[in-house]
């Protein structure tokens, strides 16, 4: 089939912009063959120092000013200078156009790998995964960040850097609790955002005080007193504060909102790490191999590519010193490869464990898997016994009431389902993050705010909660209490702020 | 379709603001680290920044997260020995467990200290915050001037090397046009007439002759206008503008007699380091002159100044005399900002103290910007202190301070150079 002479693309090692464009064109062509649907790409070449800048501002091209980003930058810089860490080859941003940063130090092969990985793998994931579709609006995030940056800067000029910093610190402490896990947010543009922000300011302030308005004595006084506010427990602490904290100024509410919005924007990324990286690895692997099969890239190119690729998807064993948990790249890549295998060459076992995909069209199936799942559900749906055996997975139960750790299951016939279940649970954010909700506000009394912590499997809250309560108190303005609700329903006061005792 | 952008030329300091915010927030801790580091430096070693470390717990960002305990299960890869139901001894540090189950760890990778480098400028900013050089401003322009030449237009005379040819030729051209324009017009008219006459079939010999004569005369007159005249010449003009000088010299005077032990000298050294660093903030070039003295004064280098051993009695005025000589010889006070710091344990030959007071009052204090005397001693003040104390009342730029221990250095230094307060404080 190689009768027609195909001239392979130059394989570097130095890259040039012309060469980048040639490669990009080829990768784009192959990606279309595999039906990868992407946002337009904007590929930016940056230096190592700029990469550290990008690291520091949580990967966003623009962000508001805050000391913690400075700290992050100093840390990154120190580690990098001392050689304790390498920098990522690439950073990609869920925006439209999809911005990808390539480091200038990369060789041509690495640039091609990164383009296939980020600009086609991650990009198509951002565009098509249901979580991203639901929760993020790629077209407006950059605009929103510009708005946020300007707004924060304006507040700093108007109210002073320290004032703003106080609010931001407190918000950051609660950032993980600033997401709606179940409600669907609306999409809005920057213009609307600005107009509505002004609206909101006025409206919110007028509403807040209503909460405390002394009501005339109602005939059914007992019933009213027993009614809680909020009527249902609220999981989104920042949202609750933004809407209900009695003493916040309008601009402070807006700051709370900004932190909450950004937290919400990153929420899907937290939930799809394995899938997202696995998907990107799966596609850089396929695209570059496809180019190789066509004779478009040289063998030298492939050797270098495979070297990097295998490094990325390597999974060290639990007893190695450099083991630090399951490598999401490895797990994701192997699962997608396995889905393809199950589709193409299903075994009897696969037909038993994964009947819904065995023997189906592989391309359609991987797209379906990418679009409709998050890590947790992806694993519970598609983790096959073969992958478990390849990884030699085993589950450990660690109960502090026991003197021993117990091996709950290993990669054998009896263990497959249990391991699948446990691994899936391991990626369930609601298992990882402590369950803390706003339970009650003493509306008619001292306006104190009560949070409930419901532990799972008796896992306690780390001592840092005392500090976080102080932040919460700063935002709320009145007493704040944190109560642990034990399995038997008994309540235990974990802490309160201010702590008078 | 992709769009490539080369961002490498964009500024890389995108995080600078955030970094400054960080420094600002932890100023107290960083400042403390910086003050601690002052003593460890050589006097002139200011090329580097400073390694600063502050406790990690101060900079952590708290979040709600789960702690140890309770019941967890974790899936690990790479099983090589386990079967279902195996019991394993709990690893002591909890290594086999917890990794990878999403435990949010406190930032800082388990380090107790958060180490980082601050740049030289950041270091000095922190060190000398709220300090100012006394008496600098008002003296800057009245006599401490050097001149800088700069271009200012053109003038009619000057040296040939400053001749501006283009400008001169412009003048020449303009003059020639002005002086010959009218004649050239007449010439043109006459030439037309001549053509007309020559073309005429009638005999106009006489007329032609007359016109030709007129033409010749006009041409001669045009030719007489010189191509270039001294009047046309333009020379580039340079003028001098006074500049505030940025030269400073610092005199370090120290008593090295037998009574000054190494500990006392160390204290003095630290004080000099601070002073030197501080001066380099305000001046581009700072010369440092080390004068040490016992009964005789000698100009020495840094190493000898701080570390060589001497014994003998003390005559402070010898150092003051030497300083005066050096100033008169090498550092004219109209070009140099002169600062002096004298360190001593207060010992002096009793008869010499009045002479010191006199020397300072008459000869030195009028020349210097600021003169600081620090006395490093645990004992009572002696004659020198009393003599100097009188002077502080007359000369506002003369200050004396007493240092007892190392801890006093930085506070005393700050007191000496505190903004605004210097004048009143010293008096």
């Amino acid at each position: 089939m190689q009768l027609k002479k195909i001239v392979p693309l130059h394989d570097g090692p130095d890259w040039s912009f012309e060469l980048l464009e040639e490669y990009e064109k080829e990768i784009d062509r192959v990606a279309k063959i595999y039906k990868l649907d992407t946002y337009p790409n904007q590929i930016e070449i940056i230096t190592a120092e700029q990469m550290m800048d990008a690291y520091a501002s949580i990967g966003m091209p623009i962000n508001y000013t805050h000391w913690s980003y400075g700290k992050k930058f100093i840390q990154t810089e120190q580690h990098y200078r001392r050689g304790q860490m390498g920098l990522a080859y690439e950073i990609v941003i869920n925006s439209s156009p999809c911005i990808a940063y390539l480091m200038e130090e990369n060789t041509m092969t690495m640039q091609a790998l990164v383009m296939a990985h980020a600009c086609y793998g991650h990009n198509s994931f951002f565009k098509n995964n249901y979580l991203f579709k639901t929760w993020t609006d790629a077209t407006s995030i950059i605009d929103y960040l510009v708005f946020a940056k300007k707004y924060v800067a304006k507040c700093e000029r108007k109210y002073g850097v320290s004032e703003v910093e106080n609010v931001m610190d407190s918000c950051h402490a609660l950032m993980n609790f600033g997401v709606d896990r179940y409600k669907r947010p609306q999409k809005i543009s920057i213009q609307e955002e600005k107009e509505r922000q002004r609206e909101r300011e006025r409206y919110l302030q007028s509403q807040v005080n209503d909460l405390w308005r002394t009501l005339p004595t109602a005939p059914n006084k007992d019933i009213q007193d027993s009614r809680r506010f909020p009527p249902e427990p609220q999981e989104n602490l920042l949202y609750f504060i933004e809407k209900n904290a009695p003493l916040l100024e309008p601009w402070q509410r807006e700051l709370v909102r900004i932190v909450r919005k950004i937290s919400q924007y990153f929420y899907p990324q937290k939930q799809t790490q394995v899938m997202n990286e696995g998907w990107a690895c799966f596609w850089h692997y396929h695209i570059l191999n496809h180019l190789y099969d066509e004779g478009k890239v040289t063998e030298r190119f492939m050797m270098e590519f495979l070297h990097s690729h295998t490094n990325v998807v390597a999974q060290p064993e639990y007893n190695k010193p450099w083991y630090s948990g399951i490598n999401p790249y490895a797990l994701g890549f192997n699962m997608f490869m396995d889905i393809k295998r199950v589709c193409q060459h299903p075994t009897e076992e696969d037909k038993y464990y994964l009947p819904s995909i065995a023997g189906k069209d592989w391309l359609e199936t991987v797209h379906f898997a990418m679009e409709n799942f998050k890590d947790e559900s992806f694993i519970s749906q598609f983790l096959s016994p073969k992958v478990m055996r390849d990884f030699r997975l085993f589950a450990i139960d660690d109960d502090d009431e026991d003197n021993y750790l117990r091996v709950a299951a290993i990669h054998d016939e009896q263990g497959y389902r249990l391991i699948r279940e446990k691994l899936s649970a391991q990626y369930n954010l609601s298992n990882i993050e402590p369950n803390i909700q706003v339970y009650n506000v003493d509306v008619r009394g001292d306006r104190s705010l009560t949070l409930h912590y419901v532990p799972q499997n008796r896992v306690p809250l780390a001592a840092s909660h005392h500090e976080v309560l102080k932040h919460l108190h700063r935002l709320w303005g009145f007493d704040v209490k944190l109560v642990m609700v034990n399995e038997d329903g008994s309540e235990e006061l974990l802490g309160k702020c201010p702590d008078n005792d | 379709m992709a769009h490539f952008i080369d961002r490498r030329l964009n500024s890389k300091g995108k995080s600078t603001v955030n970094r400054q915010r960080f420094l600002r927030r932890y100023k107290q801790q960083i400042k403390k680290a910086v003050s601690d580091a002052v003593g460890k430096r050589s006097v002139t070693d200011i090329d580097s920044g400073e390694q600063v470390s502050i406790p990690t717990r101060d900079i952590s960002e708290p979040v709600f997260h789960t702690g140890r305990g309770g019941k967890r299960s974790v899936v690990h890869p790479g099983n090589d020995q386990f079967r279902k139901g195996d019991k394993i001894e709990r690893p002591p540090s909890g290594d086999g467990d917890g990794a990878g189950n999403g435990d949010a760890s406190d930032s800082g990778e388990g380090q107790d200290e958060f180490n980082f480098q601050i740049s030289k400028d950041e270091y000095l900013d922190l060190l000398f915050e709220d300090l100012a050089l006394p008496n600098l401003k008002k003296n800057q322009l009245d006599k401490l001037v050097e001149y800088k030449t700069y271009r200012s237009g053109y003038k009619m005379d000057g040296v040939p090397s400053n001749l501006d040819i283009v400008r001169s030729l412009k003048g020449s051209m303009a003059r020639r046009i002005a002086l010959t324009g009218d004649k050239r017009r007449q010439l043109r008219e006459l030439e037309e007439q001549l053509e007309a006459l020559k073309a005429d079939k009638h005999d106009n010999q006489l007329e032609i002759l007359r016109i030709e004569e007129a033409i010749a005369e006009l041409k001669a007159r045009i030719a007489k206008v010189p191509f270039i005249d001294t009047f046309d010449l333009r020379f580039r003009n340079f003028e001098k503008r006074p500049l505030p000088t940025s030269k400073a010299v610092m005199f370090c005077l120290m008593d090295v007699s037998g009574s000054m032990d190494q500990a006392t000298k160390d204290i003095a050294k630290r004080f000099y380091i601070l002073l030197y660093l501080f001066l380099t903030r305000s001046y581009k070039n700072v010369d440092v002159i080390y004068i040490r003295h016992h009964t005789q004064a000698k100009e020495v280098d840094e190493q000898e100044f701080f570390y060589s051993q001497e014994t003998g009695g003390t005559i402070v005025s010898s150092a003051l005399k030497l300083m005066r000589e050096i100033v008169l010889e090498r550092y004219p006070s109209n070009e140099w900002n002169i600062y002096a710091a004298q360190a001593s344990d207060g010992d002096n030959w009793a008869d010499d103290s009045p002479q010191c007071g006199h020397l300072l009052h008459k000869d030195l204090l009028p020349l210097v910007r600021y003169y600081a005397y620090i006395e490093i001693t645990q004992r009572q003040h002696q004659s020198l202190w009393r003599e100097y104390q009188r002077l502080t009342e007359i000369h506002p730029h003369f200050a004396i301070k007493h240092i007892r221990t190392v801890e006093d250095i930085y506070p005393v230094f700050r007191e000496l150079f505190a903004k605004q307060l210097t004048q009143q404080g010293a008096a």
Side-chain angles (χ1 to χ4, degrees), chain A residues 175-202:
Chain A
M175 199 163 182
N176 290 342
F177 294 84
V179 290
D180 290 324
R181 283 161 225 261
Y182 306 104
K183 258 186 291 174
R184 189 186 180 285
Q186 307 156 321
K187 296 178 179 183
I188 43 169
S189 75
I190 174 102
Q191 286 91 349
E192 288 172 74
E193 182 68 41
K194 269 187 192 152
E195 280 162 30
R196 285 171 52 176
Q197 180 251 320
R198 252 169 258 127
E199 277 289 296
R200 228 159 32 223
E201 249 180 42
R202 247 178 297 121

mmCIF file of all heavy atoms in Angstrom, chain A residues 175-202:
data_model
loop_
_atom_site.group_PDB
_atom_site.id
_atom_site.type_symbol
_atom_site.label_atom_id
_atom_site.label_comp_id
_atom_site.label_asym_id
_atom_site.label_seq_id
_atom_site.Cartn_x
_atom_site.Cartn_y
_atom_site.Cartn_z
ATOM 1 N N MET A 175 -14.062 27.456 49.588
ATOM 2 C CA MET A 175 -14.235 27.326 48.139
ATOM 3 C C MET A 175 -14.802 25.969 47.733
ATOM 4 O O MET A 175 -15.672 25.889 46.872
ATOM 5 C CB MET A 175 -12.884 27.529 47.478
ATOM 6 C CG MET A 175 -12.977 27.877 46.020
ATOM 7 S SD MET A 175 -11.412 28.554 45.483
ATOM 8 C CE MET A 175 -11.804 28.937 43.786
ATOM 9 N N ASN A 176 -14.321 24.910 48.390
ATOM 10 C CA ASN A 176 -14.817 23.582 48.020
ATOM 11 C C ASN A 176 -16.286 23.407 48.376
ATOM 12 O O ASN A 176 -16.936 22.476 47.918
ATOM 13 C CB ASN A 176 -14.003 22.498 48.712
ATOM 14 C CG ASN A 176 -12.612 22.408 48.149
ATOM 15 O OD1 ASN A 176 -12.368 22.908 47.051
ATOM 16 N ND2 ASN A 176 -11.705 21.814 48.903
ATOM 17 N N PHE A 177 -16.764 24.300 49.223
ATOM 18 C CA PHE A 177 -18.178 24.225 49.588
ATOM 19 C C PHE A 177 -18.952 25.353 48.922
ATOM 20 O O PHE A 177 -19.905 25.864 49.469
ATOM 21 C CB PHE A 177 -18.326 24.244 51.108
ATOM 22 C CG PHE A 177 -17.738 23.016 51.728
ATOM 23 C CD1 PHE A 177 -16.387 22.929 52.004
ATOM 24 C CD2 PHE A 177 -18.529 21.908 51.945
ATOM 25 C CE1 PHE A 177 -15.836 21.780 52.520
ATOM 26 C CE2 PHE A 177 -17.993 20.750 52.459
ATOM 27 C CZ PHE A 177 -16.638 20.686 52.754
ATOM 28 N N GLY A 178 -18.470 25.747 47.766
ATOM 29 C CA GLY A 178 -19.159 26.794 47.008
ATOM 30 C C GLY A 178 -19.737 26.259 45.722
ATOM 31 O O GLY A 178 -19.904 26.998 44.762
ATOM 32 N N VAL A 179 -20.001 24.964 45.686
ATOM 33 C CA VAL A 179 -20.526 24.399 44.442
ATOM 34 C C VAL A 179 -21.910 23.809 44.662
ATOM 35 O O VAL A 179 -22.213 23.284 45.720
ATOM 36 C CB VAL A 179 -19.597 23.299 43.881
ATOM 37 C CG1 VAL A 179 -18.337 23.913 43.368
ATOM 38 C CG2 VAL A 179 -19.303 22.261 44.922
ATOM 39 N N ASP A 180 -22.699 23.946 43.634
ATOM 40 C CA ASP A 180 -23.970 23.220 43.613
ATOM 41 C C ASP A 180 -23.677 21.861 43.016
ATOM 42 O O ASP A 180 -23.162 21.767 41.907
ATOM 43 C CB ASP A 180 -24.980 23.939 42.714
ATOM 44 C CG ASP A 180 -25.434 25.240 43.336
ATOM 45 O OD1 ASP A 180 -25.559 25.275 44.566
ATOM 46 O OD2 ASP A 180 -25.655 26.201 42.592
ATOM 47 N N ARG A 181 -23.988 20.828 43.754
ATOM 48 C CA ARG A 181 -23.676 19.518 43.209
ATOM 49 C C ARG A 181 -24.792 18.984 42.325
ATOM 50 O O ARG A 181 -24.574 18.151 41.473
ATOM 51 C CB ARG A 181 -23.395 18.529 44.341
ATOM 52 C CG ARG A 181 -22.012 18.726 44.920
ATOM 53 C CD ARG A 181 -21.900 18.105 46.290
ATOM 54 N NE ARG A 181 -21.220 19.027 47.184
ATOM 55 C CZ ARG A 181 -19.936 18.951 47.505
ATOM 56 N NH1 ARG A 181 -19.198 18.003 47.029
ATOM 57 N NH2 ARG A 181 -19.388 19.824 48.300
ATOM 58 N N TYR A 182 -25.980 19.469 42.541
ATOM 59 C CA TYR A 182 -27.101 18.876 41.812
ATOM 60 C C TYR A 182 -27.856 19.860 40.944
ATOM 61 O O TYR A 182 -28.377 19.494 39.910
ATOM 62 C CB TYR A 182 -28.028 18.176 42.801
ATOM 63 C CG TYR A 182 -27.269 17.193 43.641
ATOM 64 C CD1 TYR A 182 -26.935 17.464 44.955
ATOM 65 C CD2 TYR A 182 -26.812 16.003 43.073
ATOM 66 C CE1 TYR A 182 -26.193 16.570 45.702
ATOM 67 C CE2 TYR A 182 -26.053 15.104 43.803
ATOM 68 C CZ TYR A 182 -25.747 15.385 45.126
ATOM 69 O OH TYR A 182 -24.998 14.518 45.839
ATOM 70 N N LYS A 183 -27.909 21.106 41.369
ATOM 71 C CA LYS A 183 -28.664 22.074 40.565
ATOM 72 C C LYS A 183 -27.880 22.424 39.321
ATOM 73 O O LYS A 183 -26.671 22.423 39.314
ATOM 74 C CB LYS A 183 -28.923 23.344 41.365
ATOM 75 C CG LYS A 183 -30.321 23.428 41.910
ATOM 76 C CD LYS A 183 -30.559 24.775 42.572
ATOM 77 C CE LYS A 183 -29.766 24.928 43.846
ATOM 78 N NZ LYS A 183 -29.850 26.250 44.444
ATOM 79 N N ARG A 184 -28.596 22.813 38.289
ATOM 80 C CA ARG A 184 -27.919 23.162 37.060
ATOM 81 C C ARG A 184 -27.796 24.686 36.981
ATOM 82 O O ARG A 184 -28.779 25.398 37.138
ATOM 83 C CB ARG A 184 -28.755 22.655 35.879
ATOM 84 C CG ARG A 184 -28.056 22.760 34.568
ATOM 85 C CD ARG A 184 -29.015 22.375 33.450
ATOM 86 N NE ARG A 184 -28.360 22.472 32.160
ATOM 87 C CZ ARG A 184 -28.107 23.607 31.574
ATOM 88 N NH1 ARG A 184 -28.439 24.746 32.144
ATOM 89 N NH2 ARG A 184 -27.515 23.634 30.399
ATOM 90 N N PRO A 185 -26.601 25.215 36.761
ATOM 91 C CA PRO A 185 -26.462 26.670 36.659
ATOM 92 C C PRO A 185 -26.885 27.179 35.297
ATOM 93 O O PRO A 185 -26.958 26.424 34.340
ATOM 94 C CB PRO A 185 -24.965 26.874 36.857
ATOM 95 C CG PRO A 185 -24.355 25.627 36.323
ATOM 96 C CD PRO A 185 -25.353 24.523 36.518
ATOM 97 N N GLN A 186 -27.145 28.455 35.233
ATOM 98 C CA GLN A 186 -27.538 29.023 33.943
ATOM 99 C C GLN A 186 -26.320 29.616 33.256
ATOM 100 O O GLN A 186 -25.361 29.992 33.889
ATOM 101 C CB GLN A 186 -28.546 30.156 34.149
ATOM 102 C CG GLN A 186 -29.721 29.766 34.976
ATOM 103 C CD GLN A 186 -30.349 30.982 35.614
ATOM 104 O OE1 GLN A 186 -29.674 31.901 36.058
ATOM 105 N NE2 GLN A 186 -31.665 30.976 35.647
ATOM 106 N N LYS A 187 -26.448 29.733 31.979
ATOM 107 C CA LYS A 187 -25.370 30.368 31.226
ATOM 108 C C LYS A 187 -25.745 31.825 30.978
ATOM 109 O O LYS A 187 -26.863 32.124 30.585
ATOM 110 C CB LYS A 187 -25.202 29.689 29.874
ATOM 111 C CG LYS A 187 -24.779 28.249 29.980
ATOM 112 C CD LYS A 187 -24.683 27.642 28.605
ATOM 113 C CE LYS A 187 -24.239 26.200 28.701
ATOM 114 N NZ LYS A 187 -24.056 25.583 27.413
ATOM 115 N N ILE A 188 -24.787 32.688 31.222
ATOM 116 C CA ILE A 188 -25.057 34.089 30.892
ATOM 117 C C ILE A 188 -23.820 34.746 30.318
ATOM 118 O O ILE A 188 -22.705 34.309 30.538
ATOM 119 C CB ILE A 188 -25.520 34.900 32.119
ATOM 120 C CG1 ILE A 188 -24.665 34.549 33.315
ATOM 121 C CG2 ILE A 188 -26.977 34.728 32.383
ATOM 122 C CD1 ILE A 188 -24.874 35.472 34.463
ATOM 123 N N SER A 189 -24.024 35.824 29.618
ATOM 124 C CA SER A 189 -22.892 36.508 28.991
ATOM 125 C C SER A 189 -22.379 37.599 29.916
ATOM 126 O O SER A 189 -22.978 37.923 30.932
ATOM 127 C CB SER A 189 -23.317 37.127 27.671
ATOM 128 O OG SER A 189 -24.089 38.269 27.942
ATOM 129 N N ILE A 190 -21.272 38.175 29.535
ATOM 130 C CA ILE A 190 -20.631 39.182 30.382
ATOM 131 C C ILE A 190 -21.495 40.428 30.556
ATOM 132 O O ILE A 190 -21.598 40.986 31.642
ATOM 133 C CB ILE A 190 -19.243 39.547 29.807
ATOM 134 C CG1 ILE A 190 -18.594 40.683 30.571
ATOM 135 C CG2 ILE A 190 -19.295 39.921 28.353
ATOM 136 C CD1 ILE A 190 -17.546 40.223 31.502
ATOM 137 N N GLN A 191 -22.180 40.840 29.471
ATOM 138 C CA GLN A 191 -23.037 42.033 29.591
ATOM 139 C C GLN A 191 -24.136 41.807 30.611
ATOM 140 O O GLN A 191 -24.357 42.618 31.497
ATOM 141 C CB GLN A 191 -23.672 42.393 28.242
ATOM 142 C CG GLN A 191 -22.711 43.014 27.247
ATOM 143 C CD GLN A 191 -22.056 41.955 26.382
ATOM 144 O OE1 GLN A 191 -22.165 40.759 26.662
ATOM 145 N NE2 GLN A 191 -21.369 42.382 25.339
ATOM 146 N N GLU A 192 -24.773 40.666 30.438
ATOM 147 C CA GLU A 192 -25.842 40.355 31.382
ATOM 148 C C GLU A 192 -25.298 40.280 32.793
ATOM 149 O O GLU A 192 -25.897 40.771 33.739
ATOM 150 C CB GLU A 192 -26.466 39.001 31.036
ATOM 151 C CG GLU A 192 -27.315 39.014 29.794
ATOM 152 C CD GLU A 192 -27.714 37.595 29.435
ATOM 153 O OE1 GLU A 192 -28.581 37.053 30.145
ATOM 154 O OE2 GLU A 192 -27.158 37.035 28.476
ATOM 155 N N GLU A 193 -24.105 39.666 32.857
ATOM 156 C CA GLU A 193 -23.500 39.489 34.170
ATOM 157 C C GLU A 193 -23.345 40.832 34.866
ATOM 158 O O GLU A 193 -23.670 40.998 36.033
ATOM 159 C CB GLU A 193 -22.145 38.807 33.984
ATOM 160 C CG GLU A 193 -21.388 38.498 35.253
ATOM 161 C CD GLU A 193 -22.057 37.412 36.092
ATOM 162 O OE1 GLU A 193 -22.556 36.415 35.518
ATOM 163 O OE2 GLU A 193 -22.099 37.586 37.311
ATOM 164 N N LYS A 194 -22.868 41.819 34.103
ATOM 165 C CA LYS A 194 -22.641 43.136 34.695
ATOM 166 C C LYS A 194 -23.947 43.795 35.123
ATOM 167 O O LYS A 194 -24.057 44.331 36.217
ATOM 168 C CB LYS A 194 -21.933 44.032 33.672
ATOM 169 C CG LYS A 194 -20.423 43.956 33.791
ATOM 170 C CD LYS A 194 -19.802 44.985 32.880
ATOM 171 C CE LYS A 194 -18.308 44.757 32.752
ATOM 172 N NZ LYS A 194 -17.807 45.237 31.462
ATOM 173 N N GLU A 195 -24.915 43.735 34.207
ATOM 174 C CA GLU A 195 -26.192 44.375 34.537
ATOM 175 C C GLU A 195 -26.818 43.716 35.751
ATOM 176 O O GLU A 195 -27.293 44.374 36.673
ATOM 177 C CB GLU A 195 -27.152 44.263 33.353
ATOM 178 C CG GLU A 195 -26.873 45.295 32.281
ATOM 179 C CD GLU A 195 -27.509 44.895 30.964
ATOM 180 O OE1 GLU A 195 -28.553 44.209 30.985
ATOM 181 O OE2 GLU A 195 -26.941 45.278 29.919
ATOM 182 N N ARG A 196 -26.785 42.407 35.686
ATOM 183 C CA ARG A 196 -27.447 41.686 36.775
ATOM 184 C C ARG A 196 -26.728 41.858 38.092
ATOM 185 O O ARG A 196 -27.326 41.809 39.148
ATOM 186 C CB ARG A 196 -27.559 40.210 36.408
ATOM 187 C CG ARG A 196 -28.635 39.997 35.378
ATOM 188 C CD ARG A 196 -28.628 38.614 34.844
ATOM 189 N NE ARG A 196 -28.652 37.623 35.914
ATOM 190 C CZ ARG A 196 -28.731 36.331 35.695
ATOM 191 N NH1 ARG A 196 -28.789 35.892 34.458
ATOM 192 N NH2 ARG A 196 -28.756 35.484 36.685
ATOM 193 N N GLN A 197 -25.430 42.083 37.999
ATOM 194 C CA GLN A 197 -24.669 42.277 39.233
ATOM 195 C C GLN A 197 -25.176 43.500 39.982
ATOM 196 O O GLN A 197 -25.350 43.491 41.193
ATOM 197 C CB GLN A 197 -23.186 42.404 38.890
ATOM 198 C CG GLN A 197 -22.300 42.614 40.089
ATOM 199 C CD GLN A 197 -21.762 44.020 40.130
ATOM 200 O OE1 GLN A 197 -21.392 44.591 39.105
ATOM 201 N NE2 GLN A 197 -21.741 44.596 41.304
ATOM 202 N N ARG A 198 -25.443 44.577 39.207
ATOM 203 C CA ARG A 198 -25.935 45.805 39.847
ATOM 204 C C ARG A 198 -27.339 45.588 40.438
ATOM 205 O O ARG A 198 -27.628 45.972 41.555
ATOM 206 C CB ARG A 198 -25.939 46.948 38.833
ATOM 207 C CG ARG A 198 -24.824 47.942 39.139
ATOM 208 C CD ARG A 198 -24.648 48.908 38.005
ATOM 209 N NE ARG A 198 -23.492 48.549 37.196
ATOM 210 C CZ ARG A 198 -23.506 48.367 35.878
ATOM 211 N NH1 ARG A 198 -24.645 48.496 35.204
ATOM 212 N NH2 ARG A 198 -22.422 48.066 35.233
ATOM 213 N N GLU A 199 -28.148 44.938 39.618
ATOM 214 C CA GLU A 199 -29.489 44.582 40.079
ATOM 215 C C GLU A 199 -29.423 43.844 41.417
ATOM 216 O O GLU A 199 -30.078 44.208 42.389
ATOM 217 C CB GLU A 199 -30.141 43.626 39.074
ATOM 218 C CG GLU A 199 -30.789 44.297 37.898
ATOM 219 C CD GLU A 199 -32.053 45.026 38.334
ATOM 220 O OE1 GLU A 199 -32.995 44.343 38.774
ATOM 221 O OE2 GLU A 199 -32.074 46.270 38.260
ATOM 222 N N ARG A 200 -28.583 42.795 41.357
ATOM 223 C CA ARG A 200 -28.465 41.894 42.474
ATOM 224 C C ARG A 200 -28.092 42.634 43.746
ATOM 225 O O ARG A 200 -28.650 42.425 44.803
ATOM 226 C CB ARG A 200 -27.372 40.872 42.140
ATOM 227 C CG ARG A 200 -27.760 39.477 42.403
ATOM 228 C CD ARG A 200 -26.928 38.498 41.633
ATOM 229 N NE ARG A 200 -25.578 38.901 41.398
ATOM 230 C CZ ARG A 200 -24.958 38.750 40.234
ATOM 231 N NH1 ARG A 200 -25.608 38.243 39.207
ATOM 232 N NH2 ARG A 200 -23.714 39.098 40.085
ATOM 233 N N GLU A 201 -27.101 43.526 43.580
ATOM 234 C CA GLU A 201 -26.620 44.269 44.727
ATOM 235 C C GLU A 201 -27.770 44.907 45.487
ATOM 236 O O GLU A 201 -27.911 44.742 46.682
ATOM 237 C CB GLU A 201 -25.684 45.382 44.242
ATOM 238 C CG GLU A 201 -24.257 45.152 44.623
ATOM 239 C CD GLU A 201 -23.370 46.274 44.122
ATOM 240 O OE1 GLU A 201 -23.772 47.456 44.217
ATOM 241 O OE2 GLU A 201 -22.304 45.963 43.627
ATOM 242 N N ARG A 202 -28.593 45.618 44.712
ATOM 243 C CA ARG A 202 -29.681 46.343 45.359
ATOM 244 C C ARG A 202 -30.694 45.375 45.962
ATOM 245 O O ARG A 202 -31.106 45.496 47.108
ATOM 246 C CB ARG A 202 -30.386 47.252 44.341
ATOM 247 C CG ARG A 202 -30.177 48.717 44.657
ATOM 248 C CD ARG A 202 -30.841 49.573 43.609
ATOM 249 N NE ARG A 202 -30.261 49.372 42.285
ATOM 250 C CZ ARG A 202 -30.946 48.965 41.212
ATOM 251 N NH1 ARG A 202 -32.230 48.717 41.297
ATOM 252 N NH2 ARG A 202 -30.352 48.831 40.056
#
